[in-house]
Each structure stands twice: as C-alpha cells, then as structure tokens.
Amino acid sequence: SRRSMKTNNSQDGFVLLGFSDKPRLETILFVVILVFYILNVVGNMTIILVSCLDPKLHTPMYFFLTNLSFVDLCLTTCIAPQLLVTMGKKDKIMSYSGCVVQLYVSMGLGSTECIILAVMSYDRYAAVCRPLHYAVIMHHQLCLSLAATAWLSGLVTSLIQCSLTIQLPRCGHNQLDHICCEVPVLIKLACVDTTFNEAELFVASVVFLVVPVSLILVSYGYIAQAILRIKSATGRQKAFGTCSSHLVVVIIFYGTIIFMYLQPVKSKSKDQGKFVSLFYTVVTPLLNPLIYTLRNKDVKGALRKLVLGKSLESEKL
C-alpha cells in the first residue's frame, strides 16, 4: 500500500553517488570544493562583518549585499560539508533526515537568493538612473520590506515544493545519482506519476527564475543607457566594468539553476546536472563576495580601517 511505501521511505537513507564512478576526478573535486568552501566562508563572513561594523556601509546596497552574503554562506554550508563527508566515505550513505533538511534549507535559500539578486538590480537602477531621488526611493522601510519579502517567499516555496516531493513514494529506490538532495533528483526516484509535481516545479521555477532574471535584464538595460550618457570615458569604463561583472554572476547563477529546474526531469544528463549544481551551490557563492564587494573601494577601505584600527589599538595597549 502507499502508506507502507511511505513508511519504508522514511526509514531508509539515500546513497549519494556523486562522482564515485570517477575516483580520480572525485579526489580532485574534493580538494577544489574544500578550498572553495573555506574561501567562501572567509569572504562572506568578511563582508557581513565589515558591512555591520562600518557606519559608511550602512546603505541600501550593502544592506542587500549583507543579506546576499548570509544566504550564500548558509547555502554553501548546507551543501559543501555534507558533500565532502559523503565523498570521503565508501558507502556514500546520507541519512533520510539529513537529506530532508538539506532539501528544505537549500530550496528556501536558493529561492531567497533569486529574489535578492532581483532586488539588488532594482537598487542599482535607482542609484544610477535616479541618483537625485535615490534616498527617497530606497528608504529604510522599503529595504526592510523587500528583504522580508525575499526571505518569506523563499520559505513558502520551500515548504510547498519540498513537502510535495518528500510525500512521493519511492518503492525502495534510494540511489541519488547526484551531489546533493534536490527536488528534480528526488522526483526521479518516485514510482508513481509525477506530472503534477513536475508542473508545480515548472511554475515555481518560472516565478523564481524567469521573472527575476527578466527584471534584472530590464534594470541593466536602463543602467547601460544611463552609462552611455556619461561624458567621461573613465567613468563610463568604470561603470561598465562594475555592471558587466555583476551580470556575469547573475548569468552563471540563474543560467545553471534554469538548466537544472526548467527542463523536463527525465531529460537531464547525469554528469551535466552534477557539475551544474556545483556551480550554483559552491562556485557562485564565492564569486559574489569577490565581484560585488572585495573589488569595491568602499569595502577595501572599511576592511583596511578595521584591521589597522585594531592593530593600532593593540599597539597603544
């Protein structure tokens, strides 16, 4: 019966195959993922710390960047350590509860990041295209409301999407040919018709991927027009450099997730799906601090002041 199938499902763990069929590649990836994770934690923690401690960075842009860094830090921590542990084990088993927690948390954080990136592009549009009205447009209350909307929408979509997925009976199937527990991969294990789940996933993907990325591209279209009107060649070059690097992150992040979530569940190439997931769970969370802030003069200045300030204080003591 369906009830007994669900009971069996909840007791079994999952075999997370990952790259176990390519031992040499798995060893290389273990080192790469470990290095990326450490840099990720250091980079995002630095941004959160500097943005909170330096009063000059208490602006809408850095408020959203702090949110983004916190999401990236939690997202990569939700995936990378578990992946490293599984890679280091021979049996590759991940507990059922561990998989469910990873499923809910990663889906919630990923959805939140999609909205935050769209909100950040609107903030950049207001700063570049409406500089005189920027303070009025991006007031404190609006910033809090936009951030709350991003977090709440991520939470709601995760609760709906993941709850529907874990209720699917698997009939003893527990081998995940993937690097982590994700909705499309778990839908594949179901031994019943999953048309409704796939349709629901498609609708959620359109809302959280296609709509935000469209808004981002429109915002950057207006920003590009505003930049072209800048008379100074140096100013134009600087603005284009900043915007193009932001767009690279957006394209990599949304492009890889769209590949994973917006094509039919059955059509995904196994190895492609694994590498694609590595990009938006391990690579992009590191690119965000590098591109958005560590190249930024304000952050560098704040970091220098923080480090030198502390060293000067210790010298005085």
Side-chain angles (χ1 to χ4, degrees):
S1 70
R2 181 170 286 200
R3 187 178 294 174
S4 65
M5 281 192 288
K6 282 184 188 174
T7 309
N8 291 338
N9 285 347
S10 64
Q11 289 170 349
D12 300 336
F14 290 95
V15 179
L16 211 64
L17 295 175
F19 298 96
S20 54
D21 57 333
K22 299 178 181 72
R24 204 173 280 182
L25 175 65
E26 190 176 51
T27 309
I28 295 164
L29 283 174
F30 183 91
V31 176
V32 171
I33 292 163
L34 180 63
V35 171
F36 266 65
Y37 178 60
I38 293 166
L39 292 174
N40 196 311
V41 171
V42 172
N44 284 303
M45 283 295 286
T46 302
I47 286 164
I48 293 166
L49 196 66
V50 168
S51 299
C52 291
L53 294 178
D54 195 315
K56 282 185 183 177
L57 301 183
H58 292 175
T59 62
M61 178 184 171
Y62 291 102
F63 170 71
F64 293 123
L65 277 170
T66 306
N67 272 270
L68 183 69
S69 288
F70 184 68
V71 171
D72 281 336
L73 186 63
C74 294
L75 180 62
T76 198
T77 300
C78 170
I79 305 289
Q82 175 62 53
L83 177 57
L84 291 168
V85 168
T86 314
M87 280 176 141
K89 291 197 299 186
K90 283 185 179 178
D91 57 15
K92 309 291 180 192
I93 291 174
M94 183 181 185
S95 69
Y96 178 82
S97 56
C99 183
V100 170
V101 168
Q102 190 179 73
L103 187 72
Y104 275 97
V105 175
S106 61
M107 170 65 86
L109 291 169
S111 304
T112 300
E113 177 152 354
C114 289
I115 305 298
I116 287 175
L117 285 169
V119 167
M120 286 171 68
S121 74
Y122 176 70
D123 172 65
R124 291 299 79 214
Y125 159 77
V128 175
C129 302
R130 307 284 298 280
L132 300 176
H133 303 97
Y134 179 69
V136 179
I137 296 168
M138 298 304 292
H139 56 87
H140 183 66
Q141 198 58 49
L142 178 69
C143 292
L144 288 176
S145 302
L146 289 171
T149 303
W151 283 98
L152 191 62
S153 57
L155 174 68
V156 170
T157 193
S158 174
L159 287 172
I160 295 168
Q161 195 68 59
C162 299
S163 300
L164 284 170
T165 305
I166 59 170
Q167 283 174 12
L168 289 169
R170 300 190 316 272
C171 307
H173 301 149
N174 72 335
Q175 283 203 347
L176 288 176
D177 196 2
H178 201 54
I179 62 162
C180 59
C181 290
E182 284 195 271
V183 171
V185 187
L186 284 170
I187 288 176
K188 267 187 182 179
L189 291 189
C191 56
V192 291
D193 181 38
T194 57
T195 308
F196 173 77
N197 294 72
E198 289 180 49
E200 205 276 332
L201 178 63
F202 181 81
V203 170
S205 301
V206 168
V207 171
F208 282 90
L209 296 171
V210 178
V211 173
V213 87
S214 303
L215 292 172
I216 290 168
L217 293 174
V218 168
S219 295
Y220 276 102
Y222 281 113
I223 289 167
Q225 285 181 337
I227 290 169
L228 289 169
R229 288 197 289 269
I230 297 171
K231 289 175 183 176
S232 154
T234 322
R236 265 202 314 272
Q237 200 174 350
K238 186 185 170 187
F240 265 124
T242 307
C243 289
S244 60
S245 58
H246 289 190
L247 274 175
V248 166
V249 175
V250 166
I251 289 162
I252 292 172
F253 180 74
Y254 283 101
T256 49
I257 298 188
I258 284 169
F259 175 88
M260 190 69 192
Y261 282 81
L262 267 180
Q263 57 170 315
V265 170
K266 303 287 189 295
S267 72
K268 291 178 182 66
S269 158
K270 290 174 185 177
D271 283 346
Q272 275 183 330
K274 293 173 198 176
F275 282 110
V276 161
S277 290
L278 274 180
F279 261 94
Y280 61 77
T281 55
V282 179
V283 178
T284 357
L286 175 62
L287 289 177
N288 283 333
L290 288 174
I291 286 175
Y292 277 100
T293 48
L294 297 181
R295 290 180 63 208
N296 187 299
K297 283 182 183 176
D298 294 337
V299 174
K300 282 181 186 173
L303 195 58
R304 206 175 292 120
K305 197 165 75 176
L306 190 69
V307 174
L308 292 176
K310 287 196 173 179
S311 63
L312 286 170
E313 274 178 34
S314 60
E315 278 174 26
K316 284 177 186 176
L317 292 168

